[in-house]
Amino acid sequence: MAGTKALLMLENFIDGKFLPCSSYIDSYDPSTGEVYCRVPNSGKDEIEAAVKAAREAFPGWSSRSPQERSRVLNQVADLLEQSLEEFAQAESKDQGKTLALARTMDIPRSVQNFRFFASSILHHTSECTQMDHLGCMHYTVRAPVGVAGLISPWNLPLYLLTWKIAPAIAAGNTVVAKPSELTSVTAWMLCTLLDKAGFPHPASCLQRQKGATAGVPPGVVNIVFGTGPRVGEALVSHPEVPLISFTGSQPTAERITQLSAPHCKKLSLELGGKNPAIIFEDANLDECIPATVRSSFANQGEICLCTSRIFVQKSIYTEFLKRFVEATRKWKVGIPSDPLASMGALISKAHLEKVRSYVKRALAEGAQIWCGEGVDKLNLPARSQAGYFMLPTVITDIKDESCCMTEEIFGPVTCVVPFDSEEEVIERANNVKYGLAATVWSSNVGRVHRVAKKLQSGLVWTNCWLIRELNLPFGGMKSSGIGREGAKDSYDFFTEIKTITVKH
Ligand code: NAD
């Protein structure tokens, strides 16, 4: 329970107002293991109020021009950018990630999400076809869907939440969002900015439509905090929420699919991965090794796109492993504010125990642990001894069928295994239920294209990792999800299309 320090108390944001809740849940600082914040434990009543507010705001917001919505999104982006440091500090404390990563990735990308959709909403066109022999033309129109339900995870809290809010409201929907109960702070801080966001120049007021007020009008974005089973399910089951955009785990997606089925809801599901890196003998190891350390351990390995199976061609296996382990040992674990730390704390005690249990299972199966868990010692200050830290861990001598090679671990653990041929490695890389992201390392251009095409994966990076082009589709195959997100894909998801035929 709480210590003597005053705890940060969050409130729901419904209809433009911050509202207290009748009950709260504790939220922990992952770097100390102490409770530092209390998150509303909302339920059906709060969802009912939020959906009502969103429904009432929909006619006004959806009838604004894209240009006007775009201006509001840009204003939110500007305000967020002005508060970048404050948000980065909060994200790092709440999630356990390094402050450096929050400063350079999470918050800048959240700013970019608003700017990107503020711009892309202005550039969509619709299709038109002619049937002159029948005197007809056909065209399509798109309209926002209504109240969008948005559910996001704890690994990239504001980054993934804004990747949903921005396209949803840019397209004219209103939203009820539920961030992860483990990382709710930056979402709550965002509500204050939404309240402030207005029209940047007096001149633009002239272009405002009648009845429009400055800022994101009350009810356009509602954020309700709490747990998945309580408030998440209330949102997903609500009959007046026709669309759910969810990022999280596969078991939760299964439950959301079941709850949505009676209402035929539009679903976008961005789920987990078991992402392979395939390293051919002609790879540039000077580039590949640091990039693969990063792809395995960035954000404590808590990114859905992180590498967790490394296939290395036999002729370079020994050299790769030696250099990879050396580089991993230099990947420093430290308290989130340590400027030299590459990795901070994992999200929770339960998650840390789960990740560690995979290493134990690998050992029991006869695998070898080269560095990290059980091999090396953590070096942390006294006040972080109860934090959820773990060293980056490299496993070898493990079978493809092992749970460490088939299940998503979502922590700083990666397996390295040898392969002989191109055909063999494609088959082995594809032989898991997931299909989110893969990396291929080779200097043979023909091979790079061939392998990328055959991998069952929504994203393939070759000779690089995590270079994102927001215009193009993002998402996974197989159990990694349904649907894609990006400029056109998000627009398609957050709108309904209609075909109109006119006979003249
Ligand atoms: P999770 O599924 O436990 O939770 C995600 C969100 O769903 C949280 O807000 C949670 O409260 C909510 N939720 C939980 N149960 C629910 C229910 N019954 N009904 C409605 N909502 C419910 O996932 P997590 O542990 O927060 O996140 C980690 C997972 O997310 C990993 O599997 C990771 O790969 C995945 N992920 C995927 C992507 C992607 O873009 N594909 C990105 C980031 C994370």
Side-chain angles (χ1 to χ4, degrees), residues 152 154 178 181 233 246-249 252 271-272 304 408 474:
S152 55
W154 49 258
K178 192 210 89 66
E181 64 276 26
E233 294 202 5
F246 168 76
T247 299
S249 65
T252 306
L271 315 178
C304 55
E408 185 185 45
F474 174 94

Side-chain angles (χ1 to χ4, degrees), residues 249-320:
S249 65
Q250 200 252 343
T252 306
E254 235 178 275
R255 178 76 184 133
I256 288 177
T257 307
Q258 286 163 356
L259 294 171
S260 304
H263 308 280
C264 271
K265 296 196 180 200
K266 247 186 139 176
L267 287 184
S268 166
L269 304 174
E270 295 289 348
L271 315 178
K274 189 68 195 171
N275 310 312
I278 301 177
I279 299 163
F280 287 97
E281 59 194 358
D282 57 359
N284 177 342
L285 291 189
D286 292 340
E287 288 181 7
C288 164
I289 287 172
T292 308
V293 170
R294 206 166 61 84
S295 76
S296 299
F297 305 121
N299 202 49
Q300 303 76 241
E302 297 168 329
I303 303 182
C304 55
L305 306 166
C306 274
T307 301
S308 61
R309 296 179 294 150
I310 306 176
F311 294 92
V312 186
Q313 204 153 23
K314 255 190 192 144
S315 53
I316 58 160
Y317 179 77
T318 307
E319 183 197 351
F320 174 88

Side-chain angles (χ1 to χ4, degrees), residues 356-373:
R356 280 187 173 149
S357 77
Y358 278 98
V359 182
K360 281 201 196 96
R361 282 155 83 177
L363 271 175
E365 289 169 12
Q368 193 172 347
I369 315 297
W370 285 77
C371 59
E373 178 69 12

Side-chain angles (χ1 to χ4, degrees), residues 119-443:
S119 162
S120 77
I121 193 65
L122 303 176
H123 304 291
H124 296 291
T125 55
S126 64
E127 294 165 296
C128 176
T129 62
Q130 296 164 234
M131 275 187 184
D132 290 342
H133 61 294
L134 296 178
C136 281
M137 65 171 284
H138 314 268
Y139 65 96
T140 59
V141 289
R142 282 195 170 270
V145 182
V147 179
L150 313 177
I151 302 179
S152 55
W154 49 258
N155 62 328
L156 303 169
L158 194 65
Y159 172 137
L160 289 172
L161 182 69
T162 53
W163 178 239
K164 296 182 187 304
I165 291 180
I169 64 172
N173 301 281
T174 54
V175 312
V176 177
K178 192 210 89 66
S180 169
E181 64 276 26
L182 301 177
T183 52
S184 295
V185 173
T186 49
W188 170 73
M189 289 166 67
L190 178 72
C191 299
T192 311
L193 300 190
L194 294 172
D195 221 17
K196 278 192 208 157
F199 292 82
H201 305 295
S204 63
C205 295
L206 299 173
Q207 294 156 24
R208 265 194 240 164
Q209 291 170 358
K210 206 169 154 238
T213 52
V216 180
V220 171
V221 178
N222 304 277
I223 303 195
V224 183
F225 299 99
T227 66
R230 228 169 103 82
V231 74
E233 294 202 5
L235 176 58
V236 173
S237 314
H238 200 292
E240 308 289 356
V241 178
L243 167 155
I244 301 289
S245 172
F246 168 76
T247 299
S249 65
Q250 200 252 343
T252 306
E254 235 178 275
R255 178 76 184 133
I256 288 177
T257 307
Q258 286 163 356
L259 294 171
S260 304
H263 308 280
C264 271
K265 296 196 180 200
K266 247 186 139 176
L267 287 184
S268 166
L269 304 174
E270 295 289 348
L271 315 178
K274 189 68 195 171
N275 310 312
I278 301 177
I279 299 163
F280 287 97
E281 59 194 358
D282 57 359
N284 177 342
L285 291 189
D286 292 340
E287 288 181 7
C288 164
I289 287 172
T292 308
V293 170
R294 206 166 61 84
S295 76
S296 299
F297 305 121
N299 202 49
Q300 303 76 241
E302 297 168 329
I303 303 182
C304 55
L305 306 166
C306 274
T307 301
S308 61
R309 296 179 294 150
I310 306 176
F311 294 92
V312 186
Q313 204 153 23
K314 255 190 192 144
S315 53
I316 58 160
Y317 179 77
T318 307
E319 183 197 351
F320 174 88
L321 184 61
K322 180 173 171 287
R323 291 177 60 183
F324 183 71
V325 170
E326 276 168 16
T328 300
R329 282 214 156 101
K330 291 187 187 137
W331 188 260
K332 186 180 172 206
V333 177
I335 56 168
S337 58
D338 178 349
L340 299 177
S342 304
M343 210 167 94
L346 274 70
I347 184 66
S348 66
K349 194 158 193 258
H351 189 59
L352 174 66
E353 274 160 17
K354 180 186 150 196
V355 176
R356 280 187 173 149
S357 77
Y358 278 98
V359 182
K360 281 201 196 96
R361 282 155 83 177
L363 271 175
E365 289 169 12
Q368 193 172 347
I369 315 297
W370 285 77
C371 59
E373 178 69 12
V375 177
D376 303 301
K377 273 213 141 90
L378 275 163
N379 182 12
L380 294 164
R383 70 188 160 94
S384 284
Q385 292 301 322
Y388 316 134
F389 294 90
M390 176 177 172
L391 287 162
T393 301
V394 178
I395 301 177
T396 64
D397 301 277
I398 186 122
K399 291 198 173 68
D400 285 7
E401 303 72 41
S402 162
C403 60
C404 292
M405 286 285 282
T406 55
E407 294 174 18
E408 185 185 45
I409 300 175
F410 215 52
V413 175
T414 198
C415 300
V416 187
V417 291
F419 74 89
D420 280 306
S421 70
E422 188 178 308
E423 295 69 32
E424 171 209 330
V425 78
I426 292 169
E427 196 190 318
R428 289 171 65 195
N430 285 340
N431 197 21
V432 287
K433 69 176 184 175
Y434 293 108
L436 184 57
T439 42
V440 180
W441 291 87
S442 167
S443 50

